[in-house]
Amino acid sequence: MVSLASQVLPLAGVVLGAVMSFLVSSLNERTRWRRQQAVRWDERRLAAYAEYAHAVKELAARYQMIAAARGLVSGPIPLEPTPEVLKEVGELESRRSALSETLGLLGDTEANTASKTVDHCLWRLELLARGIATEVEQNWDQAYLDFREARSRYVAHARAGLGVPGAVAHDVTWPAAWRPTPGTSPSE
């Protein structure tokens, strides 16, 4: 009987050790896989957030240039809304729309919601820049300020969703000596 117990106990120890080793290895492998997946999706989410932010900024700049051609704003180089320009803006809008779909798949709820507000602000800028009437009279300067604030909220929510701490930047006032004199342009 002693010889049977002396043989079974070491065998049970080996089996228990093997099971414990398997469980620990499996747990470590699962943890490593989850960490890799999180990094993978964070990289894609970061790219989607950044590409969308760039696309809306580019569209707003085009609308601002078209608005300058209509005399709604001064400062940017005026861009006449020719068929070629409108085609380019349409392509930029298609890109923005596709990137918005990517955000819907990868972004968190707050950033996605903020992106919808940015979209609405962009469409408002487009209507103003192209001179398309709306039910309520609108002001370019206010519409552009609303766009910038909406884009800032989007960026803040995207950063929070990525776990980036702190504010994007502190407010920095542009020195008065560097500001252009009203009524002048770079070509004067």
Side-chain angles (χ1 to χ4, degrees), residues 48 66 77 122 124 128 134 138-140 147 157-158 163 172 180 184:
I66 293 169
I77 298 170
L122 267 177
R124 182 178 173 200
L128 288 167
T134 57
Q138 299 181 26
N139 172 289
W140 175 267
F147 162 75
H157 287 298
V172 177
T184 63

Side-chain angles (χ1 to χ4, degrees), residues 21-67:
S21 177
F22 173 78
L23 290 176
V24 169
S25 295
S26 295
L27 183 61
N28 284 339
E29 185 63 26
R30 179 178 286 196
T31 301
R32 187 175 64 77
W33 183 83
R34 285 182 179 161
R35 193 171 31 250
Q36 287 175 337
Q37 289 299 99
V39 168
R40 176 179 159 201
W41 288 115
D42 280 349
E43 289 172 355
R44 289 183 179 183
R45 191 175 303 118
L46 170 61
Y49 285 151
E51 288 174 19
Y52 174 81
H54 178 73
V56 298
K57 189 174 185 178
E58 191 173 11
L59 261 173
R62 290 297 190 286
Y63 293 146
Q64 191 174 35
M65 294 166 80
I66 293 169

